[in-house]
Every structure is written in structure tokens, then in C-alpha cells.
Amino acid sequence: MSAYVIDGKAIAAELGGRIAGAVERLRTEHGITPHLAVVLVGHDPASETYVRNKTAKTAAAGMRTSLHRLSETVAESDLVALVTQLNADPDIHGVLVQLPLPPQIDARNVVAAIAPAKDVDGCHPLSAGLLATGMPGIRPCTPLACIRLAKTVHASLVGIEAVIIGRSNLVGKPLAHLLLAEDATVTVAHSKTHDLAAVARRADLLFVAVGRAALVTRDFVKPGATVIDVGISRIAAEGGRTRLAGDVAFAQVQDIAGAITPVPGGVGPMTIACLMLNTVRATCTAAGLSAPEI
Ligand code: NAD
């Protein structure tokens, strides 16, 4: 048996088309164009690529984007000052600071400086608290993407046995809350978990967000399970080149899983689509409009 490959790129493109429709309606019916401001510090190659993809896709959906670049050596206070300025600009609906940040800056202070109403990445402590307490708010993009991809296979997640490997504030923890909100049965495993493979094998729905290529081998996977791979690592490939790899040993796990996301082309494109969705929702909230169901 070979697992069904969940085509995140195609699913994200379809969602992007519906978002573009909502953007067009906002423009024609209300004269509003959502505007996403992205802040990039330094020249980390991976961050450059992520930011390029985010701004290109957002612009392709008819939204405005602005890129604010700061030098690698910028002081935390200057970065916070820029965020404060973007917060105060009524023309901007979403503010995203691309992580990671250089060592002289505490990313937590910067994320906390973003106005919660413009926190389209969903990482502000208030957004995290609203999620944890089940109150309405902006949800983090990657966990949202994971849920949407899982739902292309499982129409309902009620009661499903879900295991998440990884407990970061960015992915693992918010994903656990989103799954609980779907009434799934949730286990969060991490670097200190005993017999990780046995815990993972409990899952009908396995999410992996670690950042270690090929951590998850076939002995981690219950036959027929759905596997959502969040991890992104750059590894050596033939001819001295490098390539992107997920946390899941794709070829061997594909033989045992029921469905699986590829890397690249799985969670990544869907994360960008969810960022666009959050930007449209934040724009609607700022304008006192109800957000469209997309
Ligand atoms: P992180 O480093 O903050 O967290 C990693 C987690 O993995 C930790 O909770 C840690 O306990 C756990 N872990 C580490 N080693 C482990 C091991 N040997 N066994 C079990 N658990 C272990 O990382 P993050 O920000 O959550 O990102 C995780 C991965 O997801 C990275 O590769 C990152 O690049 C990727 N990512 C992808 C997207 C996307 O859009 N596709 C978005 C965010 C993050």
C-alpha cells in the first residue's frame, strides 16, 4: 500500500483563490485593500525565501504588502520602534516580524510589541491566551495549516487519537489547543519523551514538528495513520547540492501510512495561505465587518 499524498500546494492554491475572491469583494464593496507589513532583519537565506514567498502570494491574492528591512546589527529598541510605528498606521492591517532574530534581540519582546489586532502570525501572548482558553482570536498560521490539511483526510477530528511530536510555542503547543478545540484526544511528545516511537504509534493522526530530518521512520507509524510533516531541514544531496527535507523519512513511511504530506509542498504553502487568511480576517475585524467564511 502506498499512502495518499496530501498535495499542500494544490490545496493552498485553491484556498488562495477563495481568499482572492474575498479580497476583491472587500475592495469593491467596502473600498478596503488588506495590507500586510513584513519586517525582515538581516539576510538569513531561509528567511529571505520565506519572506519572498509570503509577500508574492499575498500580492497575488490582491492584497498590499510592504517589506521593512533592518540590518543584522539593529538594536531591539529600534526594531520595537518600527513595530510600534506599523501598529499605529491605520493603513496596515497585519504586522509580521520574520523569525529568527539575531542574538542581540529577544524575539519575545518584539512579538509582544505587535498590536494583538494586527498579530496575523498569531504568536502574541494574548493570541496564545485566547487560544488556550477557547476564546475567539487570531490563531497561529502553521498549526491552522496542519488542521486544515488533516481535515482534507478526516472530515471530523472528534475523538481521534492525535499525537504531536514537538512542543514549541510556534507549532506544538498551539496545535495541541486547536486539536482540543476539535475534540481530538491529544498527546504532546517531545525530546524527553520515553519510547517516542511507541507513543507516536498510538496516533491515527501524527504531527511532527521537530526540525530533525528523517526522525520519524516506519516504526513510528500505525498502519493507515495520517502523517503531517511540519519539519524543514536543509540536508546534503547529490552533486554537492542541498535539498529540503521534512522530519519524516518519506519513502519508508509512505509504505505504511494512510496519508502523508510531502516536504516541500505540504505544510509550507498552506502556512502562507493561512497567513493570508488571517490578514483578511484582521482587516475585516478592524473595519467592523464580519470575517468571510473561507
Ligand atoms: P523548535 O526548535 O522551537 O521546537 C522543536 C521541538 O522538537 C521542541 O519542542 C523539542 O522538544 C522537540 N524535539 C527536539 N528534538 C527532539 C527529538 N529528538 N525527539 C522528539 N522531539 C524533539 O522548532 P519549531 O519552531 O517548532 O519548528 C519545528 C520544525 O518545523 C522546524 O524544522 C521548522 O523549520 C519547521 N517549521 C515549518 C513551518 C512551515 O511553514 N512548514 C513553520 C514553522 C516551523
Side-chain angles (χ1 to χ4, degrees), residues 50 142 165-168 170-172 189-192 196 209-212 215 230-233 247 267-268 271:
Y50 295 147
T142 301
I165 308 181
R167 58 173 161 184
S168 70
L170 190 63
V171 188
H190 46 79
S191 53
K192 300 286 193 288
L196 187 62
V210 173
R212 185 180 289 204
L215 172 80
V230 181
I232 305 174
S233 306
D247 288 343
V267 175
T271 292

Side-chain angles (χ1 to χ4, degrees), residues 178-277:
L178 284 178
L179 284 164
L180 288 172
E182 296 283 341
D183 293 322
T185 304
V186 185
T187 302
V188 182
H190 46 79
S191 53
K192 300 286 193 288
T193 297
H194 296 304
D195 200 351
L196 187 62
V199 173
R201 260 195 322 270
R202 296 211 297 256
D204 292 308
L205 186 47
L206 178 63
F207 299 89
V208 195
V210 173
R212 185 180 289 204
L215 172 80
V216 169
T217 47
R218 63 176 287 136
D219 54 316
F220 280 59
V221 179
K222 182 199 267 191
T226 297
V227 181
I228 309 284
D229 188 354
V230 181
I232 305 174
S233 306
R234 190 159 276 286
I235 60 167
E238 283 166 29
R241 288 191 292 270
T242 61
R243 67 173 179 89
L244 293 183
D247 288 343
V248 177
F250 187 87
Q252 54 173 284
V253 170
Q254 193 182 12
D255 282 347
I256 188 165
I260 185 168
T261 58
V263 177
V267 175
M270 202 57 185
T271 292
I272 296 178
C274 290
L275 170 67
M276 291 152 58
L277 189 55

Side-chain angles (χ1 to χ4, degrees), residues 17-36:
R18 283 186 286 135
I19 292 168
V23 170
E24 177 63 10
R25 284 192 296 282
L26 269 174
R27 192 179 64 77
T28 54
E29 293 169 18
H30 303 283
I32 302 169
T33 301
H35 181 170
L36 172 67

